Amino acid sequence: MTLMTSGLSDKSGLRAPGEPLLVWPGKAYPLGATFDGNGTNFALHSDVAEKVELCLFDKEGDETRIPLTEVDANIWHGFIPGITPGQRYGYRVHGPWDPENGLRCDASKLLVDPYGKAFDGEFDGDSSLFSYDINNPEQRNQEDSAAHTMRSVVINPYFDWSNDRRPRIEANKTVIYETHVKGLTMTHPDVPDHLRGTYAGLAHHSIIDYFTELGVTAVELMPVHQFVHDDRLRELGLKNYWGYNTLGFFAPHRDYAASQSAEGAVAEFKQMVRSYHDAGIEIILDVVYNHTAEGNHMGPTLSFRGIDNAAYYRLVDKDAAHYMDYTGTGNSLNVRHPHTLQLIMDSLRYWVEEMHVDGFRFDLASTLAREFHDVDRLSAFFDLVQQDPTVSQVKLIAEPWDVGEGGYQVGNFPDLWNEWNGKYRDTVRDFWRGEPSTLGEFASRLTGSSDLYAGRRPAASINFITAHDGFTLTDLVSYNEKHNEANGEDNRDGESHNRSWNCGVEGDTDDEDVLRLRAQQRRNFLTTLLLSQGTPMISHGDELGRTQHGNNNVYCQDNEISWIDWENADEDLQAFTRRLIELRQNHPVFRRRRFLAGGPLGEDVAKRDIAWLTHDAKLMTDEDWNFDFGRSLMVHLNGQGIVEPDLHGRPIEDDSFILCFNAYHEALTFTMPRRHNVMHVEPSEEDSWTVVIDTSVPKGVPEERRELAPGEEIEVPARSVIVMQRPLSD
């Protein structure tokens, strides 16, 4: 097919004026726009389309519509020679308009490509221009939306990776740092102004050096897939800061790019990944495959809804005009449909193969397991991930819940998966704020939650105290109540049960005793987190004392409330966190590859790997575990009890440690255990213990060396942790 499109030619610079635009049949695979050096292949899936027009836009924004006449297996496709990277495009899908039966084709709406790898422009029109009022069928706005929506952009897939190699950090050595591209870099003094809030800013040597010095091994980025801002937030003068409102599952978010060209965001993202790999740090993406930015039945038609509504979305069985909503966002992707599953898997492979990311954290992952209504751990999505030779080999982390009935699925995901352990978060918070009946569960969480992950390994438990959703660590010890007034919802949004404790005063205070206790509680939380079995995750800025002033839902606060305040960083807390990570990484006793056995291993009872003791050095009894007001615990970790081999088959041995936890409001005296009390062997004069961590002192590390002999007593101050070390040579 040949089309005369002199207007496009003259203004786009793609070909000489008057040169005809050729349209060849092209191929049905791969989906999306694929540049091969000579031209671009376009392919779009729709089961319901009666006609599909490819819309090309020149530099002036003028549109040329090209019918795609080749259709194979409901994939509409064509190849156009001379179409090069930078070309803006979209689709118009002609077909049935019958919302009551789930059909929403509307050719007046320009649609972005579900497989688009870059985007330009923004969604800036009144919502009525894009949506349909289900309560008033006559109000269907058929005004053309092209001038008010985004366009997809053809990209150049070629990039010099310079022998880039994935760090492939072992699971038990992984320390995750959850962060936000913009929030991390916007106020950093060493990042140039024009790079702040961008992928290039994230790749700046000052940021990478910071992570390297801190000791984290993986940076988990909050959503970087192309997203749009909610109409309601725009009306309030706010933005969707978190980005859990995806429109493009293949494109890096345009606003996070310093590059002036839309397609340049792709190369900039790749350069960022390469820089982190050079430093030995992995990049994990927080991905949102459970819903899209098109919202509920009143939401805008931007892409999926207008292409094939019933294929992409879960519709209510007896009312197809409405959407099933397991996410609280208005819609849920239809993971029962093969092309929607293909979209998700193609997207995951793209980010691994083409963008070189090292793993994914799946937002509201239970939604992906809903074959019908119930959560099914063996759903098609997880089967596909399991057998995929690419996706199955990277880090896979589930947020194991959604808002639907039965959605809380902590511990129930397949063997390949790691999970955000919400029970770890809740238990540790309760222990340190003094809630009753938490001692036994606290011990379980401290040792990797084998009750949840027995079929896997301790690393399957992603341990965290705080995350982007909720209080920061500083706010966790400073507020009893949320303070979300800035969000414009009269403080109704956000979690109301935070398991927080303000240490006696709500919010800001000059009370030195309260401030001292808050600082100590932060050190308690970080010590517990980083010395627990499992995979620790730090929420960005917690190690710097970041506060959101009591706002526990900053999803719409793209400003100083949510950004890291580098100028007022708590350097002592940062140094303490670095020390804890170093202790963890240097001592495999804190990051075992397999679960602790607890009792004697084999015939040699001296190889007991862990012992639970009361503060007077007696082995814990059932009565001690079940004591409702138990607030103290001594943990003996035997480094010689690590009988598992390392990755080279060599047996591991390590120093031994004692952790003394006192969550009581008064100081307690702990007695150093004798080896024969713990492991039934004769005491040794060499069994001395050195205090290496003391959360009751201002910097968390004793200024003077202190050693304790077996049977000697040490006072552990109220609400504090003391960690003691005995070298292997003893």
Side-chain angles (χ1 to χ4, degrees):
M1 180 170 60
T2 301
L3 297 175
M4 295 301 294
T5 54
S6 57
L8 176 65
S9 302
D10 291 341
K11 297 177 181 178
S12 69
L14 294 176
R15 58 185 57 78
E19 182 179 345
L21 182 66
L22 300 176
V23 183
W24 298 346
K27 299 179 180 179
Y29 187 86
L31 291 165
T34 306
F35 174 67
D36 67 359
N38 296 310
T40 301
N41 190 81
F42 296 89
L44 179 76
H45 165 263
S46 176
D47 291 335
V48 299
E50 297 169 354
K51 176 183 177 182
V52 172
E53 292 177 310
L54 170 66
C55 306
L56 301 179
F57 293 87
D58 63 21
K59 293 180 179 179
E60 306 302 322
D62 294 333
E63 177 182 356
T64 298
R65 301 184 186 183
I66 303 169
L68 296 180
T69 58
E70 295 291 329
V71 186
D72 292 294
N74 293 321
I75 296 176
W76 304 70
H77 56 89
F79 180 89
I80 305 180
I83 296 295
T84 58
Q87 174 66 56
R88 275 64 170 164
Y89 73 98
Y91 292 103
R92 295 183 186 274
V93 176
H94 302 255
W97 170 263
D98 184 4
E100 298 296 330
N101 290 301
L103 301 170
R104 291 173 175 260
C105 296
D106 183 354
S108 71
K109 303 298 174 271
L110 180 72
L111 307 174
V112 298
D113 186 356
Y115 279 72
K117 297 178 178 64
F119 291 87
D120 188 34
E122 60 181 314
F123 166 48
D124 63 0
D126 184 276
S127 61
S128 65
L129 177 63
F130 298 88
S131 59
Y132 164 70
D133 187 349
I134 199 70
N135 298 313
N136 189 349
E138 300 302 320
Q139 290 189 4
R140 176 191 175 193
N141 191 328
Q142 291 184 278
E143 181 182 347
D144 197 305
S145 68
H148 303 283
T149 193
M150 307 178 80
R151 287 95 185 269
S152 305
V153 182
V154 177
I155 69 160
N156 184 350
Y158 306 107
F159 180 79
D160 179 11
W161 281 102
S162 300
N163 298 316
D164 176 66
R165 294 186 178 182
R166 302 182 188 282
R168 299 192 183 278
I169 306 297
E170 298 168 40
N172 68 319
K173 294 182 180 179
T174 296
V175 177
I176 299 173
Y177 191 96
E178 184 199 33
T179 192
H180 188 284
V181 171
K182 190 171 186 180
L184 178 71
T185 60
M186 276 302 292
T187 71
H188 196 287
D190 296 329
V191 176
D193 289 348
H194 70 286
L195 298 183
R196 293 180 179 183
T198 70
Y199 306 119
L202 192 68
H204 191 265
H205 66 85
S206 63
I207 299 295
I208 295 179
D209 289 348
Y210 176 78
F211 286 135
T212 301
E213 293 170 5
L214 187 62
V216 299
T217 68
V219 173
E220 181 179 303
L221 300 178
M222 291 181 66
V224 296
H225 288 175
Q226 181 65 53
F227 62 87
V228 298
H229 300 291
D230 316 57
D231 192 47
R232 184 188 67 82
L233 292 179
R234 291 194 300 112
E235 291 174 355
L236 292 172
L238 300 171
K239 294 181 178 180
N240 190 315
Y241 168 67
W242 282 351
Y244 292 96
N245 207 37
T246 307
L247 182 63
F249 293 106
F250 293 78
H253 187 60
R254 175 70 182 90
D255 290 345
Y256 293 161
S259 171
Q260 296 301 305
S261 65
E263 64 274 21
V266 179
E268 186 175 323
F269 185 93
K270 291 178 178 179
Q271 179 63 57
M272 180 268 294
V273 173
R274 189 176 72 184
S275 297
Y276 274 81
H277 285 180
D278 287 344
I281 299 174
E282 296 180 315
I283 295 293
I284 298 172
L285 301 188
D286 188 342
V287 290
V288 190
Y289 293 109
N290 54 75
H291 74 281
T292 80
E294 291 186 308
N296 64 16
H297 59 281
M298 303 281 286
T301 298
L302 304 175
S303 180
F304 311 92
R305 175 174 284 141
I307 294 170
D308 195 334
N309 187 50
Y312 284 115
Y313 295 116
R314 293 286 298 273
L315 306 179
V316 177
D317 290 341
K318 296 182 179 180
D319 183 9
H322 291 80
Y323 298 86
M324 299 293 294
D325 182 12
Y326 299 113
T327 65
T329 60
N331 66 61
S332 301
L333 274 179
N334 184 10
V335 293
R336 298 179 297 181
H337 194 281
H339 276 282
T340 302
L341 279 173
Q342 181 185 356
L343 171 83
I344 296 173
M345 295 305 299
D346 285 349
S347 171
L348 291 170
R349 277 190 296 271
Y350 176 78
W351 286 96
V352 174
E353 294 175 345
E354 298 297 328
M355 308 296 266
H356 286 209
V357 304
D358 304 283
F360 305 95
R361 178 265 188 189
F362 292 78
D363 178 65
L364 301 180
S366 291
T367 301
L368 300 173
R370 291 184 182 272
E371 287 279 358
F372 295 96
H373 297 285
D374 296 331
V375 175
D376 178 7
R377 72 189 298 267
L378 297 177
S379 69
F381 170 69
F382 295 104
D383 289 342
L384 289 173
V385 170
Q386 180 70 39
Q387 62 79 42
D388 190 279
T390 297
V391 180
S392 65
Q393 299 306 303
V394 300
K395 288 181 168 65
L396 302 171
I397 302 171
E399 182 185 33
W401 51 78
D402 63 18
V403 301
E405 183 178 353
Y408 193 77
Q409 293 291 318
V410 173
N412 292 330
F413 277 69
D415 293 345
L416 195 65
W417 289 71
N418 306 316
E419 302 176 20
W420 272 26
N421 190 344
K423 291 187 177 181
Y424 179 95
R425 171 200 60 203
D426 296 346
T427 300
V428 174
R429 288 187 180 192
D430 280 349
F431 178 77
W432 283 115
R433 71 189 181 113
E435 285 295 295
S437 303
T438 60
L439 198 58
E441 187 165 4
F442 176 76
S444 177
R445 303 299 158 237
L446 190 71
T447 52
S449 298
S450 61
D451 58 327
L452 301 175
Y453 307 111
R456 290 176 259 178
R457 295 192 177 187
S461 177
I462 305 298
N463 300 330
F464 66 105
I465 306 296
T466 61
H468 68 273
D469 190 358
F471 283 143
T472 66
L473 183 60
T474 291
D475 290 355
L476 185 69
V477 300
S478 304
Y479 295 90
N480 285 350
E481 308 295 336
K482 62 184 180 181
H483 298 270
N484 299 352
E485 290 80 8
N487 296 354
E489 299 183 44
D490 298 323
N491 206 35
R492 294 189 302 269
D493 62 307
E495 176 61 56
S496 296
H497 183 47
N498 293 283
R499 291 182 162 88
S500 60
W501 178 45
N502 63 20
C503 297
V505 177
E506 186 75 358
D508 293 338
T509 181
D510 294 326
D511 189 311
E512 290 296 329
D513 290 335
V514 172
L515 293 174
R516 188 179 304 110
L517 178 56
R518 288 177 178 177
Q520 188 165 307
Q521 287 284 74
R522 291 189 304 184
R523 292 192 290 269
N524 290 336
F525 279 120
L526 287 169
T527 301
T528 305
L529 173 66
L530 290 165
L531 300 187
S532 292
Q533 305 295 324
T535 304
M537 184 186 77
I538 301 169
S539 180
H540 85 163
D542 274 355
E543 81 286 3
L544 301 171
R546 186 174 76 90
T547 178
Q548 294 171 173
H549 306 290
N551 191 322
N552 72 353
N553 190 33
V554 296
Y555 78 103
C556 58
Q557 298 298 327
D558 186 5
N559 49 50
E560 289 81 0
I561 293 176
S562 59
W563 301 341
I564 288 182
D565 181 3
W566 290 94
E567 182 178 351
N568 294 305
D570 186 330
E571 294 182 358
D572 287 343
L573 187 61
Q574 175 191 343
F576 179 68
T577 306
R578 184 167 59 245
R579 168 67 177 131
L580 287 170
I581 295 175
E582 181 182 30
L583 191 66
R584 177 186 182 86
Q585 297 294 48
N586 288 343
H587 295 284
V589 72
F590 295 118
R591 47 176 180 79
R592 291 174 57 107
R593 294 173 57 230
R594 294 183 174 87
F595 287 106
L596 292 147
L601 304 179
E603 297 181 0
D604 187 354
V605 295
K607 291 296 186 180
R608 182 194 296 268
D609 52 13
I610 186 171
W612 303 99
L613 308 168
T614 63
H615 63 87
D616 53 359
K618 295 179 181 179
L619 290 170
M620 293 280 287
T621 65
D622 288 342
E623 184 178 356
D624 295 320
W625 285 119
N626 295 323
F627 182 49
D628 284 347
F629 294 95
R631 297 287 184 275
S632 66
L633 185 67
M634 187 189 303
V635 186
H636 178 276
L637 294 173
N638 180 16
Q640 293 175 297
I642 306 181
V643 297
E644 63 190 60
D646 64 15
L647 293 181
H648 301 287
R650 298 171 299 207
I652 301 173
E653 287 192 326
D654 192 13
D655 296 350
S656 295
F657 289 84
I658 285 179
L659 287 69
C660 298
F661 294 94
N662 180 17
Y664 194 53
H665 64 272
E666 295 180 0
L668 292 174
T669 299
F670 281 66
T671 302
M672 290 301 93
R674 298 182 186 276
R675 294 183 70 194
H676 70 280
N677 286 350
V678 178
M679 298 179 290
H680 307 293
V681 297
E682 291 301 318
S684 167
E685 294 181 358
E686 303 299 325
D687 285 339
S688 62
W689 297 91
T690 302
V691 176
V692 293
I693 296 291
D694 182 351
T695 64
S696 69
V697 300
K699 295 184 179 182
V701 180
E703 293 184 1
E704 297 182 359
R705 182 181 178 90
R706 181 179 181 185
E707 294 187 355
L708 296 99
E712 190 173 348
E713 294 181 342
I714 182 172
E715 183 178 272
V716 179
R719 299 188 177 95
S720 68
V721 187
I722 289 182
V723 179
M724 287 165 282
Q725 179 179 4
R726 185 184 66 214
L728 179 62
S729 59
D730 288 351

